[in-house]
Structures are given as structure tokens and as C-alpha cells.
Amino acid sequence: MLQPTAADLWFVPLGGTGEIGMNLNLYGHNGQWLMVDCGVSFDEPLIPSYKRKGNNGENITEGTTHRVVAPDPTFIASRKDSLAGIVITHAHEDHIGAIPYLWERFQTPIYTTSFTAEVLRRKLARSKLANRIPIIEVDAGDIRQIGPFTVNWLAITHSLPEPFALKISTPVGTVLHTADWKIDANPITGLPFDVNLYKQLGNEDILALVGDSTNAPKPGFSISERNCYDGLLSTISPLKGRVIVGCFGSNIARLISLARVAKKTQRYMGLYGRSLLNMYGIAKQQGIWPDDLPIADAQHLGYLPPHEVLAVATGSQGEKNTALARLAKDNHPHLQLEKGDTVLFSSIVIPGNEKSVERLSTLLLAKGVTVVHSEDSPLPIHASGHPCEEELKLMYRWVKPKISIPVHGEHLHLAAHANIAKNSGVSKHYVGQNGDLYRLAPQPSIRRQVVPVGRIPVQQD
């Protein structure tokens, strides 16, 4: 059986390496394993799209049903007695979403922060696992011994509350696992990026950096959420019709920015989609949502003059049956779009979702609605939560790891990240994929496709 010895430190990704989403990472040392994150993703469409004639002779596109998938956990589930614990770095679906479906295969404690724990509890409340999973809450700077792994939570900036990098220490080496991050000196939620925290790691003999590659091919720096607020305000201020903004449901910082825009432009903001309402509720409960930013009842927005409406809706990736999809098809019970209204996509198109987003845009344009995608906007209406080239360079300059392991990206993202590490003076850098065994100690190497991997459906959307 494949098990690490006391001299070994291993890294095995079951999801999220060679793809964006569905993150599940394993660290192995001295006969035990530590899991970092357990997320979901969207699979390819189950039903190919096809066209049919509507009642009025119009062409209607049907099909394109997607399914939600998680990494196949068989490798670690068959070793669950050796799984010391699960750490969830933050509350995005691609890092936390598979827990309700996979945890029974592991049955081990989960370590995470207060905000992420509340997100998880609300997910579990809808399942048979409610109140069954031991969740251990931690905070910035906390250090916990989880089996043979000493785990230190390091505050970092991203696009939602309480994101954390992890310093994972063993007697044979220490790893910085960045999870999702960016350098944001002016975040909407939480504290600014702490440069000194990461500079200190340069004196700690970090063996490897396992890091986010999503924006590695992009030059420069990612923009701050504050800049995104300015771009949204400038874009929305002159508009006369209804404004509908599509964004990721878990992006609390974006919701707060939009609420401030609504207040500034004298519009009422309503939320359309269960995930948005859920995240807003958690933010209120946790004291993150500002008291001076009210949210209107979404059922009432349909009675208001168009220039007073700012609606935020789920479905920015073109997913079927989400609020945006229903608005585009005129079958939403609370709001109808008309010519002169504007839909802003305050998001990026995740690779693989291009066709579904295009179909959604086509439906909206056919109604006379103006559609603005963040990629085409002259002003910043979306701020990525991931580091671009210059941010990665700074991180490597500060941390000085001996090994770079790019994760969280497709091959082109991983290769770009590895090249940045190489040019930053990192002597060893491994571009791999799910199922590879990265030996970090005693002798660094990579063994290809040692662990069987795959994806399993966990729910039908």
C-alpha cells in the first residue's frame, strides 16, 4: 500500500491540478495524511444543445444540462484510518462544496474559520449530516497539531471573508500552501495583505510553495476590489433602465461594493438566487455586512421604476435554472427585463463555460437588453481574487522556497506559474496533474499518475 514513511513528505492532488475548480489536495508524512480542501466543479454538458421552433416560430436552444462533480476520493477513502484531518482554506464552492457529499467516506474532523464554518453548517443543515460533522474553528495565527502535521493559519487576501494560506510543518520539511489569494492593499472585507507576514517566511527554510496559478499567464497585478467598486459606480451611474449584475454567489466583497453603488446611485438593491441570500445572511450574522447598507425585498423590485432598480442575480456562468437564466427567458416570478435595461457580468467566464455564457448573452440581447461582460468593459467591473505575474514574483522573492508546485489551473496556467518560479530563482519546479505523486522529501521528484483519479457526480443542478 502506498504510504509515506517518517522520512517522506508527499503531495498528491486528487482535484484542482490541471483544471480550475474541484480542489482536493493531500499531504502525506509518517503514515498519515492531511486533506486540504474538498470542492466541486461543473462537468461538461450532459445533454448536447439543440434548436427547436417556439410557438411564435422563434428559434429556441434547449439542452446543455450540467452536473456538479467532485474528485473521486477512493484513494484517500480507502485509507481513512490514516487521514488525520481535513482543513478548508475558505468558503468558495470549489474548495468546500464536496464536503456534504464525501465526508461520510472520511469521517474525520474539519478545521476551518468561523465564516467558513457557518457556510458549511448551512450546507449541512439541508443534509443528513446536520450536527454530525465535528468542525473545529480556528483563527488567524492559530497553530494546530493535526496528526504529524503542524498547521499554521496565515491571513491572506482574496474575494471573500477569512481566506487563509497554510504553513504545514513536519520534521522533514515545511510547505506553504497558498490556496486562493491576491495582494490587495484595500480589500472590502478583512485586513489588507500583510507583506511582513510573508517576508518572515523567507527566514524559515520553506521547502516548497504549493500555489495558485489561475492568473499566472496575466502580466502585472490584479486590481483591488476598491478599484472594482469605482468601475461599477462609474458604469452604473449614467444608466437609466434597470441594472442587473451577475456575479458569483459567494463574493461577499462584491455584494458590499454593489450595495454601496446602489446607495450612491439612489437605487434599491435586491438579491435573486438562494446562494446570494444565504451569503448575505451569513455576512449579517457574522458582523461583516455594514449596517448602513439595506437590502430590499426582491419581490418588490418589479413594482419600482426601472431607474431605481439594481438587482444582483446568480447564474453568471450561464447555469440552467439560475436567476439570470430565468430573467433571460421571462419566467422569473419577481422581475421582468425590458429594452433599455442593462446586464453586467461582474465575473469572469470560467474555462469550459464559454458556450453557456454565450447562449445566455444571446437571449438577453434578443430582448433589447444591453449586455456588458467584464472582459469587454472599458472600466473594471470585476476584480479577480487570484495573483497575476508580478504578485507571484513578489511571493517567491519573499518566501524563497526550494520547490515550486503550481496548482489550481489548467496546464497553460501551471506552466506559466512554473516559468515565473524559475525566473524568480526557484531551482525545482514541477508541472503535474491530478494523480501525480510529488515527493518533496527526502529527494524531490515527481511520479506521474501514481494515484487513480476521476470525477463523480454529486448532485444534479
Side-chain angles (χ1 to χ4, degrees), residues 296-347:
D297 188 329
Q299 296 185 48
H300 298 165
L301 262 62
Y303 301 104
L304 296 175
H307 67 276
E308 293 185 3
V309 173
L310 196 165
V312 186
T314 55
S316 64
Q317 300 304 302
E319 305 99 309
K320 185 182 178 183
N321 295 331
T322 55
L324 261 180
R326 299 182 71 185
L327 288 167
K329 294 178 180 178
D330 280 337
N331 64 2
H332 198 285
H334 305 314
L335 192 66
Q336 264 196 320
L337 302 186
E338 299 172 344
K339 185 177 180 180
D341 295 342
T342 300
V343 172
L344 305 178
F345 283 81
S346 184
S347 57

Side-chain angles (χ1 to χ4, degrees), residues 89-90 113 139-141 153-156 162-166 177-180:
T89 59
H90 64 282
T113 57
D139 204 351
W153 276 259
L154 306 179
I156 207 158
E162 299 180 6
F164 281 87
L166 306 172
H177 185 101
T178 70
D180 294 1

Side-chain angles (χ1 to χ4, degrees), residues 36 87-90 113 139-142 151-158 162-168 175-181 193 197-198 201 209-210 395:
V36 176
V87 177
I88 304 297
T89 59
H90 64 282
T113 57
D139 204 351
D142 280 3
V151 182
N152 185 189
W153 276 259
L154 306 179
I156 207 158
T157 47
H158 188 39
E162 299 180 6
F164 281 87
L166 306 172
K167 185 175 74 171
I168 302 170
V175 175
L176 174 64
H177 185 101
T178 70
D180 294 1
W181 69 282
F193 186 91
L197 181 63
Y198 290 89
L201 296 180
L209 186 153
V210 178
M395 185 64 85

Side-chain angles (χ1 to χ4, degrees), residues 278-291:
N278 189 43
M279 280 293 174
Y280 166 70
I282 295 171
K284 287 279 286 185
Q285 181 201 55
Q286 298 275 310
I288 294 165
W289 191 269
D291 292 334

Side-chain angles (χ1 to χ4, degrees), residues 123-201:
K123 284 180 172 293
L124 296 171
R126 305 193 298 267
S127 77
K128 59 184 178 181
L129 293 175
N131 303 315
R132 283 187 53 203
I133 297 182
I135 301 174
I136 300 167
E137 293 190 19
V138 296
D139 204 351
D142 280 3
I143 300 174
R144 296 294 178 110
Q145 192 68 37
I146 307 175
F149 306 93
T150 304
V151 182
N152 185 189
W153 276 259
L154 306 179
I156 207 158
T157 47
H158 188 39
S159 58
L160 82 176
E162 299 180 6
F164 281 87
L166 306 172
K167 185 175 74 171
I168 302 170
S169 303
T170 71
V172 296
T174 298
V175 175
L176 174 64
H177 185 101
T178 70
D180 294 1
W181 69 282
K182 66 187 287 186
I183 296 176
D184 195 338
N186 293 289
I188 297 294
T189 61
L191 298 174
F193 186 91
D194 186 350
V195 173
N196 291 326
L197 181 63
Y198 290 89
K199 283 185 174 179
Q200 291 170 8
L201 296 180

